[in-house]
Each structure stands twice: as structure tokens, then as C-alpha cells.
Amino acid sequence: MLNLMWINGEFVESASTQRFEVINPATEEVITTVPRGNGEDVERAVAAANAAYLHWRKIGSLERKEMLHEVARKIRTRGEELAQLITSEGGKPVIENRDEVEWVASCFEYYAELGRDQIGRVVAPVFEHQMSLVVKEPFGVVAAIVPWNYPILLMAWKVAPALAAGNTVVLKPSELTPLCNLFFAEIFDHLPRGVVNIVCGFGKECGEPMVTSPGTHLVAFTGSVDTGRHLAVLAAQQLKKIHLELGGNDPFIVCDDIDVDTAVRAAAWTAFLNNGQVCTSAERFYVLEPIAKKFIEGMAEFSKSLRLGNPMGPDVDLGPLVSEAQRQKVEARIAQGVQQGAKIITGGKRPAQFDCGYFFEPTVLTQVDEGMEIMRSETFGPIAPIQVVKNIEEAIARANNSEYGLGASILTNYLEKAMLAAENIKAGTFWINDPLTDNDAAPFGGMRLSGHGRELGIEGLDDFREAKHILIDYKLERKSYWFPYRWEK
Ligand code: NAD
């Protein structure tokens, strides 16, 4: 197991000489300890990344493409090891982490190819014998800071396009899931030294210096709104570009023209996948009145049938939450909702059958409204609050009444209703009848408080490069518009 930081191609301890524990959320046991990185470590990593940039930005696109494909090959070769590691420190069922591993490999392949495609365009020249090239250049060193819920996927969505665009990287994983990111030292070890550096530690001590260091040129951050806002202010002091992928409070509309059993399965998956610890989890359900009773009963019954257990096991739908702090946050949010009038239909407590692990029952609530925090803010837990609405117009209005704008979903057999919702709800991704499915080639990101910038697709590559206009005049001659000016009537 890799439990050292990786700077300039070498495995190192922190200058702090301190370490912190990594906990298995299913057993509450300490898996290992890792270095507690600080500003001094970050500066070493930033220096290595700047040195590596001089070579990496100029490397030919075929050579770079081959190195990124090699990353994907190594990920697949070591996929099972990696999937189990993500499960052991994050608690997500291993069956889901096998998918995450595959998506990561696929993302590196996608950007390996996209990176050797166009790097700009040629625009119509304003004068004779000229050419205007628009060339997209890398920024330099990217500070990539990622959370714990999809720890290697969100790393790949940053590191793959950053490298394909010619940047070098300093990466910091979440303090809850450092191991699966540190594992990538062995996946990236064929890249020139310093092209990727991995430091680990806590936000304030290790993450902030990555943002404030004059040696980083772009910040790519995924995490909570509060941290994102704080980092945006720090980055603004240096007018440094920051790419923010933040939290959500996604609405999910269930129309009355659908098969209720299918709707229940789609809704339960979107609310409870990874215990609701998905940035695009459905956090608010708006169900049309004619089918509401049947839908609520179906959600209650189906939620009770979900199998909680050791996430390494084969027949497990839900593992533990990532940490005790996260579980307490969910409990507090539900208690507050109940105090404000929400009704728990099923779940709402720690399951009795476990004597350790941060497990929590999938929870369905009704009698909720937008006045409640549980409907207004991101909970990031296994909850499905359901509000009954009269018609599609009311559903759209309520869905759109939010400070967030990450994702939104609808289930309907009528394209007109689906498109009415898609056009009127502010969200970076809108899913019609297949919630949560992403596509490497299509952009992902948020509107409003959910952030700005996009990952994936050509948009996700362009966020890691900046445009330069190169004007070429291939005939050097005196221009009529140079000094001295002449006025002729
Ligand atoms: P978080 O903001 O607490 O931490 C995210 C990362 O930022 C971690 O690596 C953490 O160490 C670091 N960090 C924390 N404080 C910092 C500071 N002061 N300076 C620099 N770095 C700092 O978020 P989290 O709890 O790890 O993740 C959950 C959040 O992430 C949720 O809000 C979720 O919606 C969001 N998320 C968003 C997306 C998206 O693509 N929009 C995807 C996944 C998760």
C-alpha cells in the first residue's frame, strides 16, 4: 500500500514529519497513516511541477497521447486492487468502484485522443498577406483539489484534460480518501518526473497553499460551496483562474404518465446511490398528485428492501456513510426537518444490525416544503424528501426555486413536458428518463452556487487552456497606418 506523498517522482514524508490516520468507515478501523502535508511540501511539489512544465508543454502530441493511453492500460490492469482500496477508505460498494475505475480509464483514453486534435483555429485575416492563428495554450501548473465521494473519477476529470492540454499538476486528495489517489503514483510513474505530484493533508494546511502559491496558475476544485467560495476569494487576490465544481440540491420530477414501479426504482437509485453522497443525487422530489400515493408507498417499500452491509460484499446495495461527521450531519438535517413538520415514512435512523460502521437507513420523507432546510440545502445523505404537486408547471417552478444549479431530472413519456422542464430549469445537466448518466464527451458542471467551469467534453479540455492570438504578416513592409500620420482632404 502506498502511504507516502509523491513529489518529483519520489516517495516522500511530509516536512511536518507528522502523519494522520485513514479510517475504514465500515469497520471504523485504522487502515494506515499518511503524511500530513503542509505548505513546505506544496512548494516542493509546485517547484517540481514548474520544472517539468518546461518540457511537458512542448512534447509532441503523439508521444503525450501514448503516455495517457498507458495510464488507462495500467488502471485497467490494477483495477480490482484500486476498486477495493476506494471501498476500504470511502465505504462505497466495491461493485460501484469497479465502475468508477473503468470510467477513469475511459476518461484518460478520451483526453489522450482529444489532446492530439485541434489546439485552436485560423480566423479570417483583416489585411492582405496575413494569418490570424488562435492557439490554445496550457496555463502552467494546475492545483487540483478533490473530494472523497468519487475520489479517482474527480481526479481524472481534472488531471486527464490538464495533462492533455500540456499542463503539469499538483494534486491533493481529500483527507478522508488519500490512499486511492496516492496509488496513482504507480499509475503515473512512466510520465516524466514532476509532471504529476501528489501531496496529502488537510484543507487549510495543505490545500490553501496550493491556491495561494504564486507557482500555480490555475485552480481546479471540486468540493463544497463553502470551501469553493473561500478558495475563490483567495484566488481572486492573485487574479488566478479557479474552476469550481460545487454542491447541488438536485430536483427530480415524477410525472403522472409513467409506470410507477419503474419511477420508484429510478428515484431510489438517484436518491440513495452511494448513500446520497453524489453531487448530483436527487435531493428533492416533486411528484404529480394523481400518482403520488402509489409513488410514496412504492418508495417506502423499495427503500426497505435495499441491502445495507459490508461494501466489500457481493450482495450489498449500500455501504456506510464516509464518516461519523457526515452521518451526524444527515441526522441533524432530518431532525430539523421533522421539527419543522416533515414526516418520516421509512428510515431516519441508524440500522440496529451493525455494531460498528457509519451506516444509516435510506430515508423517505413527506410533508416537506421549500421553507425547510432539508429541501433548500444539500444534505449529502440517503434521504428522499417528496413533495406532491398539482401539475408540471408547479413542479418546474418549485424545482427552479433554488440557489443551486448542478443537475435536474424528469421522468415522463411526453417529450413536450420533458423539454418544458429542460428549458426552464437552471442546471448544468438535465436528465430525461435516465438520471445520473454522464458521458466523457459531454460537459459536466454547475450553474448558480453549484459553480462554474465545465469538466468533460471539449469544454473540459478548454478549461485547462487559454487562447493566444498569433497574428502573422508574411510580407514585412511599411504600413500606411504607421507614423507619420497624413491627413488628406
Ligand atoms: P470539502 O469542500 O470539505 O473538501 C473538498 C476538498 O477541498 C478536500 O480535498 C479538502 O481537503 C479540500 N479543502 C477543504 N478546505 C480547504 C481549504 N480551506 N483550502 C483548500 N482546500 C480545502 O468537500 P467534501 O466534503 O470533500 O466533498 C463533498 C462536497 O463536494 C459536496 O458539497 C458535493 O456536492 C461536492 N461535490 C461536487 C461535485 C461536482 O462535480 N460539482 C462532485 C463531487 C462532490
Side-chain angles (χ1 to χ4, degrees), residues 145-150 154 157-158 172-176 201-211 221-228 230-231 234 244-248 277-280 283 326 329 378 380 406 444-446 450-451 455:
I145 302 177
V146 297
W148 45 263
N149 61 336
Y150 286 86
L154 299 168
W157 287 8
K158 292 169 179 48
K172 191 194 89 63
S174 164
E175 54 275 25
L176 295 175
F202 294 87
K204 185 111 190 111
E205 296 165 7
C206 187
E208 271 191 36
M210 292 168 62
V211 178
F221 172 78
T222 299
S224 61
V225 172
D226 286 348
T227 309
H230 175 64
L231 296 186
L234 292 181
L244 297 172
E245 297 285 345
L246 308 178
Q277 301 169 122
V278 183
C279 53
T280 46
E283 298 231 353
Q326 193 62 26
K329 194 180 143 206
E378 180 184 57
F380 230 51
L406 191 56
F444 179 95
S450 296
E455 295 187 320

Side-chain angles (χ1 to χ4, degrees), residues 43-57:
E43 273 317 312
R44 273 192 295 158
V46 167
N50 273 293
Y53 176 66
L54 301 176
H55 170 63
W56 182 252
R57 66 166 295 202

